[in-house]
Amino acid sequence: MAEIYARPRFGQPREPKNRVDPGSRLVGVLDFATGSHVRAVALLMFCAFLPGFFNIPPIDRDEPRFAQATKQMVESGDFVDIRFQDDVRYKKPVGIYWLQAATVETASALGLPRAQVRIWLYRVPSLVGAIGAVLLTYWTALAFVSRRGAVLASLMMASSVLLGVEARLAKTDAMLLCMVVATMGALARVYLSWQRGEDPVHPPWTWPAIFWTTLAGGILLKGPLILMFVVLTIGTLAVLDRSAAWLWRLRPVWGLTWLLVLVLPWFVAIFWRAGEAFFADSVGGDMLSKLAAQESHGAPPGVYLLLFWVTFWPGAALAGMAIPAVWRARREPGAQFLLAWLVPSWIAFELVLTKLPHYVLPLYPAIAILTIGALERRVLSRSWLRRGAAWWFVIPALASLAAVVAAIGLTRQPVFLAWPFVAAALIFGLFAWWLYDDNRAERSLLNAVVAAVFLAIAIYGVVLPALTPLFPSAEIARALRNVACVGPKAAAAGFHEPSLVFMTGTTTLLTDGSGAADFLSQGTCRFALVEQRSERGFVQRAEAIGLRYNVAARVDGYNISQGRAVSISIFRSEGTE
């Protein structure tokens, strides 16, 4: 039964809160930003997702798979079927491909040259999704904490390692996060209004409209996964409250009708085109196969908990200290909703054998809001958990060391341009650690967020683009662009990464050494891209058919998807320049 008496919200301070040192410039910025919603949104729009966004080449394997399938949609004009070269790609619905295609088509219409092979255009939906997720975290958090707390929760999300990675990859996960946060934010407002006994006769239409629309968007992006978060949350709350009467406020009849209007047309179209193949591949071949160790990504329960301390840095340090306070507040309506969002789905992910770090990303906003709720109450743990504050310095120290060592090992260059940003990240991380106590948790978090910004600039903006051996496909594509003949065609033997197809063209033939020799013999302006392990087969077949060829170039690099060094020779038929 809904409670009608006044009750303090989870995250609402129980006593007047002493401000941190007013001389702190970071706190001053926060004070100014939280003066209005417009200022808060303006601050959150400056998320540190742009460093590296434009100049990091395609990262194998998922990103170029999505991008290449989108590119083939644009090339063919077929926006129903999803293919990678001649193979169907039915693991995910069409949503992300439509968003990427719209971006590429718009860029082409505006006159951007070679728009179809610019990977950053395919990343734009992820960038929009990441920024949208940060802003929607702010909107969702306002139902639980103060405006100041909502900004801090959003900054925690914006600076998290995992969201920073997904914002720079042309995949579904950042945009899915955006849909999930919007869906759960609307659901939270409906639930909390019921708990407070507000407006029981004429519930507003705004929240149900947001809920059902973004739920449909999530289904078009990644199938039924978003339904898992919603169903587990609702089911948990229904058990704890012994009632689910508040669900009628979601206008389920009209909402389900609207959802079907949004999602059914494409599902009907793909069924008409491919029959049961899409549902067999997406549900049986992709979703259900994750119950086993799919694509060698199997791991035991507890792995997500271990990864959390890195993937949710810098917020993870405070999240650990908030656990005791969150447990004590678990039956308050706000905390109960957030825990219902977080705990059942987290357990489900831990039990599934296939594990990838980004699977739990849609649960991180709940953690951020719970953490800030404890921070606002000034009830963060004073026990040994406070030692976790050192994590604010340890992560940038280890990440910076790994980046510099990788740069020296792969390129024999120390990447001096990254060092000032590395130093700044270390300094602010050290400040966050030193300044931490219960009265300065907010100030420490702000310093940690700045450390994350500088670390992102160093890693994504400077170090990764400099590690050219990690991106052999980009070097091969650059070599083929510089040839004198018109319309070069390529065949690859031994190196079949999706990034190569995306960067060298949809018609690139993936074959073995013998097939590459046959391909080269069929005309001029042809190039065989033969990895060292396939050269013997290429040479033997070339001798057998009397093929005369030259070595145009050799690309040495590292295949990050297979974890091994590669050496790729670019052979051209004799007479080709």
Side-chain angles (χ1 to χ4, degrees):
M1 180 175 179
E3 299 176 5
I4 59 175
Y5 56 85
R7 179 173 187 170
R9 293 184 305 173
F10 174 76
Q12 181 177 354
R14 296 179 182 271
E15 59 185 40
K17 183 171 124 180
N18 295 326
R19 293 290 184 185
V20 295
D21 180 9
S24 168
R25 293 183 179 180
L26 293 177
V27 173
V29 172
L30 183 63
D31 289 338
F32 176 79
T34 53
S36 70
H37 290 304
V38 173
R39 294 179 195 170
V41 169
L43 173 66
L44 297 174
M45 288 291 289
F46 289 98
C47 302
F49 297 140
L50 288 183
F53 182 84
F54 297 98
N55 53 349
I56 295 177
I59 298 177
D60 285 307
R61 291 180 171 158
D62 281 350
E63 179 180 47
R65 282 173 176 165
F66 280 100
Q68 175 60 28
T70 300
K71 187 171 75 166
Q72 290 183 216
M73 278 188 172
V74 174
E75 291 172 344
S76 66
D78 184 350
F79 295 96
V80 174
D81 207 8
I82 307 169
R83 291 182 175 271
F84 183 94
Q85 292 191 309
D86 294 327
D87 297 328
V88 296
R89 182 168 169 77
Y90 290 159
K91 291 186 176 183
K92 302 291 185 294
V94 78
I96 194 63
Y97 304 104
W98 281 351
L99 294 173
Q100 291 177 352
T103 305
V104 174
E105 292 276 45
T106 300
S108 297
L110 293 175
L112 182 68
R114 301 177 55 250
Q116 292 184 15
V117 294
R118 295 182 185 272
I119 188 61
W120 66 266
L121 286 172
Y122 298 83
R123 292 170 177 163
V124 167
S126 293
L127 177 65
V128 172
I131 295 174
V134 170
L135 297 178
L136 287 166
T137 298
Y138 171 74
W139 175 72
T140 301
L142 287 172
F144 301 92
V145 295
S146 67
R147 183 187 298 165
R148 189 182 189 88
V151 171
L152 289 172
S154 302
L155 288 175
M156 196 177 285
M157 281 299 300
S159 58
S160 65
V161 170
L162 187 54
L163 184 55
V165 171
E166 293 300 331
R168 296 171 172 86
L169 291 176
K171 305 200 290 102
T172 58
D173 299 286
M175 186 57 73
L176 175 67
L177 173 65
C178 183
M179 296 295 104
V180 170
V181 180
T183 302
M184 301 305 287
L187 189 67
R189 279 168 166 75
V190 171
Y191 174 75
L192 294 177
S193 70
W194 173 76
Q195 282 281 10
R196 293 190 293 264
E198 297 175 355
D199 196 17
V201 180
H202 300 291
W205 279 91
T206 305
W207 300 335
I210 295 173
F211 175 84
W212 293 106
T213 302
T214 54
L215 187 63
I219 292 173
L220 285 173
L221 283 166
K222 213 164 183 177
L225 181 61
I226 191 173
L227 296 175
M228 183 191 80
F229 302 118
V230 172
V231 170
L232 289 179
T233 301
I234 292 174
T236 302
L237 293 173
V239 170
L240 294 175
D241 294 328
R242 299 181 181 179
S243 173
W246 57 277
L247 289 177
W248 288 108
R249 299 184 176 211
L250 286 171
R251 317 269 187 172
V253 175
W254 289 102
L256 283 170
T257 302
W258 174 239
L259 182 144
L260 293 175
V261 167
L262 293 176
V263 304
L264 272 185
W266 179 79
F267 282 100
V268 171
I270 194 64
F271 181 78
W272 185 269
R273 175 72 61 85
E276 298 178 356
F278 171 79
F279 300 98
D281 287 355
S282 62
V283 178
D286 185 55
M287 188 173 68
L288 294 181
S289 66
K290 287 181 169 57
L291 298 175
Q294 186 187 43
E295 296 179 354
S296 303
H297 295 312
V303 167
Y304 285 124
L305 182 60
L306 293 176
L307 291 175
F308 169 79
W309 305 106
V310 175
T311 57
F312 195 58
W313 182 88
L318 282 184
M321 296 180 231
I323 292 174
V326 170
W327 175 252
R328 291 192 297 270
R330 65 190 180 277
R331 291 315 303 267
E332 296 183 20
Q336 182 170 281
F337 179 88
L338 293 168
L339 289 171
W341 176 0
L342 169 64
V343 175
S345 295
W346 192 287
I347 293 173
F349 281 128
E350 291 284 15
L351 293 178
V352 172
L353 290 180
T354 299
K355 290 182 172 63
L356 289 171
H358 59 265
Y359 286 176
V360 295
L361 180 60
L363 306 179
Y364 283 5
I367 299 174
I369 298 170
L370 285 166
T371 302
I372 295 303
L375 185 152
E376 281 201 328
R377 284 183 168 186
R378 299 174 62 191
V379 290
L380 293 173
S381 176
R382 293 177 176 271
S383 69
W384 58 271
L385 288 170
R386 292 181 61 190
R387 297 178 184 176
W391 208 234
W392 281 321
F393 176 74
V394 171
I395 289 294
L398 293 178
S400 303
L401 179 63
V404 173
V405 169
I408 295 175
L410 289 171
T411 67
R412 303 295 186 266
Q413 299 292 329
V415 195
F416 288 119
L417 183 60
W419 288 24
F421 301 107
V422 165
L426 291 172
I427 291 170
F428 279 96
L430 191 61
F431 283 166
W433 175 21
W434 284 354
L435 291 173
Y436 179 77
D437 59 37
D438 192 30
N439 293 325
R440 293 188 173 183
E442 181 184 276
R443 186 174 177 179
S444 290
L445 176 60
L446 293 175
N447 278 275
V449 168
V450 175
V453 171
F454 281 113
L455 191 62
I457 295 172
I459 300 296
Y460 300 120
V462 181
V463 175
L464 269 180
L467 301 182
T468 53
L470 294 181
F471 309 104
S473 296
E475 296 301 308
I476 293 170
R478 188 175 295 111
L480 293 184
R481 284 199 301 270
N482 293 330
V483 299
C485 61
V486 178
K489 298 180 180 179
F495 184 74
H496 293 172
E497 295 304 319
S499 59
L500 183 67
V501 177
F502 174 75
M503 301 198 75
T504 59
T506 303
T507 59
T508 298
L509 176 66
L510 304 182
T511 182
D512 55 13
S514 177
D518 290 334
F519 173 85
L520 208 60
S521 68
Q522 294 171 8
T524 58
C525 204
R526 289 174 175 251
F527 297 84
L529 319 173
V530 184
E531 207 276 324
Q532 190 173 26
R533 296 170 180 83
S534 299
E535 280 192 24
R536 182 176 180 181
F538 174 84
V539 171
Q540 290 177 341
R541 180 60 178 170
E543 291 178 353
I545 62 176
L547 174 66
R548 307 181 70 176
Y549 58 90
N550 299 314
V551 179
R554 178 177 291 273
V555 175
D556 295 319
Y558 193 83
N559 188 334
I560 56 177
S561 62
Q562 294 187 352
R564 68 182 188 183
V566 292
S567 181
I568 302 164
S569 297
I570 303 178
F571 297 114
R572 62 189 179 192
S573 54
E574 194 172 70
T576 299
E577 296 296 333

